[in-house]
Amino acid sequence: MKLKIAIQKSGRLFEDSVKLLKECGIDLNNGSKSGVLRTEASNFPLEVLFLRDDDIPQYVEDAVADIGIVGENVLLEKGKVVNKVEQLGFGKCRLAIAVPKSEEYTGAKWLDGKKIATSYPKILDGFLKAQKVDAEIHEISGSVEIAPGIGLADAICDLVSSGSTLFMNGLKEVEVILKSEALLISNKKLSDDKEALLKKLLFRVQAVKKAKRNKYILLNAPNERLEAIINILPGMKSPTVLPLAQSGWSSVHSVVQEDDFWNIIENLKAQGAQGILVVPIEKMIV
Ligand code: PRT
Ligand code: ZN
């Protein structure tokens, strides 16, 4: 018995999805490179199906795949009934409304009576209804950002990450409808065996995610400052402190979170810490 996972065949989520599986210690026999549409892991009961991202929610709902990796934007647009298992921290983007730079956008009411081009008609419709705006949705499947320039629409609703595509097409972002990232999804009715495999995989995914948010830090501290330095470094339980060969100094090891990383380093230096080393963590199990 194998757990079947659907991932994107090629595109923005492909590499990160394969990388995540690898970081979870799962070796795939071959990628999707040479037109292979399915493969098996050699060291985990996992079968991988490579699909277009748009099809993944349907396949998971229908139990053709047990689980899948897909952008939340696609999941919401398709409206399929699946379980959201875990946010994966990659494929981050936002679904936004953008208008020509020269327009004076005054709020959602500006969209009344306007024509909006999008590949996300369902999510956009939900937004317009919530805002009580009556606009025409013009569905197109790609190159949405050129629609205003060629007179096809007054505004667009499309995915944005850096914003450079909007900028290059003379558009400005005026509303964020949805913030999205890649999600691990699962079929609603997995067998107990498959549920157990998913749990095992999820345990690994969470360990990898946690490791990415944390760094291992090593530093030398003058003994008279040890207490102050330990207070700056909470660690997983408490920091490890080892005497150095040179008397009056200790080596301190700990784990710090990426979010407040630079503040911590500055405070450590201010307390006389030296030889600070910061090392990535591969897996973190607490
Ligand atoms: O072939 P298939 O159907 O599988 O792929 P696709 O072409 O439909 O999707 P793909 O590979 O482009 O994107 C897959 C998923 O990546 C999306 O569903 C999102 O969840 C996520 N993602 C993250 C993005 C972006 N960032 C993104 N920037 N998807 C698309 N874009 C596009 C956007 O549509 C616009 O054209 O990039 C452009 C804007 O980027 P910036 O950086 O210029 O703002
Ligand atoms: Zn797609």
Side-chain angles (χ1 to χ4, degrees):
M1 199 259 320
K2 284 185 196 301
L3 192 66
K4 278 191 243 174
I5 184 170
I7 66 172
Q8 198 189 19
K9 176 167 63 179
S10 65
R12 289 170 193 264
L13 301 184
F14 168 73
E15 269 173 34
D16 283 327
S17 302
V18 170
K19 187 164 142 245
L20 177 67
L21 293 178
K22 200 169 254 162
E23 286 167 340
C24 289
I26 295 171
D27 292 328
L28 303 185
N29 291 331
N30 42 39
S32 79
K33 291 276 152 55
S34 51
V36 181
L37 297 180
R38 64 205 280 177
T39 188
E40 286 183 2
S42 52
N43 56 356
F44 194 91
L46 190 74
E47 183 178 335
V48 184
L49 310 178
F50 298 101
L51 300 169
R52 282 202 56 194
D53 66 347
D54 312 70
D55 298 332
I56 291 175
Q58 176 84 61
Y59 274 66
V60 172
E61 186 186 81
D62 294 346
V64 176
D66 302 308
I67 61 174
I69 296 178
V70 71
E72 183 161 18
N73 51 308
V74 173
L75 181 63
L76 284 176
E77 183 61 29
K78 300 294 171 191
K80 301 295 170 194
V81 183
V82 298
N83 284 338
K84 286 188 200 174
V85 180
E86 184 80 7
Q87 294 187 315
L88 298 175
F90 59 83
K92 285 190 178 167
C93 56
R94 50 199 187 272
L95 185 64
I97 292 183
V99 302
K101 235 179 304 196
S102 54
E103 295 292 344
E104 213 171 295
Y105 185 82
T106 46
K109 277 283 161 209
W110 183 92
L111 296 164
D112 246 330
K114 300 278 194 328
K115 200 168 173 184
I116 311 171
T118 190
S119 312
Y120 293 86
K122 191 173 158 161
I123 301 177
L124 175 58
D125 188 50
F127 170 80
L128 294 174
K129 287 212 169 95
Q131 299 286 327
K132 300 195 168 53
V133 169
D134 191 16
E136 184 188 336
I137 298 176
H138 187 77
E139 185 178 352
I140 47 179
S141 60
S143 304
V144 174
E145 60 281 351
I146 64 166
I150 58 173
L152 196 67
D154 305 297
I156 67 165
C157 169
D158 197 14
L159 298 176
V160 182
S161 48
S162 68
S164 68
T165 304
L166 292 184
F167 182 78
M168 283 189 306
N169 286 281
L171 301 170
K172 61 179 177 188
E173 188 175 338
V174 293
E175 300 276 356
V176 174
I177 299 188
L178 170 77
K179 285 194 175 155
S180 176
E181 65 182 85
L183 295 181
L184 182 65
I185 57 171
S186 79
N187 179 268
K188 283 263 177 200
K189 291 191 205 111
L190 289 184
S191 66
D192 289 351
D193 288 351
K194 288 190 169 178
E195 199 65 61
L197 282 177
L198 172 57
K199 223 172 144 192
K200 201 167 159 181
L201 178 65
L202 185 60
F203 176 76
R204 297 187 188 189
V205 168
Q206 286 168 342
V208 169
K209 269 178 65 181
K210 201 161 177 53
K212 283 197 184 137
R213 286 199 304 271
N214 289 274
K215 300 272 178 250
Y216 194 74
I217 181 166
L218 305 96
L219 58 90
N220 295 332
N223 285 347
E224 70 272 13
R225 295 285 178 77
L226 253 183
E227 206 180 312
I229 285 176
I230 287 170
N231 282 335
I232 301 169
L233 285 172
M236 279 165 87
K237 281 212 171 67
S238 72
T240 307
V241 180
L242 305 163
L244 281 188
Q246 186 183 345
S247 72
W249 285 80
S250 298
S251 168
V252 180
H253 300 199
S254 188
V255 172
V256 295
Q257 289 221 349
E258 193 122 71
D259 312 340
D260 38 57
F261 175 76
W262 288 109
N263 278 333
I264 290 180
I265 299 288
E266 276 163 27
N267 292 340
L268 289 171
K269 282 185 66 172
Q271 288 298 333
Q274 291 182 7
I276 303 174
L277 294 181
V278 178
V279 193
I281 300 171
E282 199 176 306
K283 311 279 188 296
M284 191 161 156
I285 294 118
V286 287

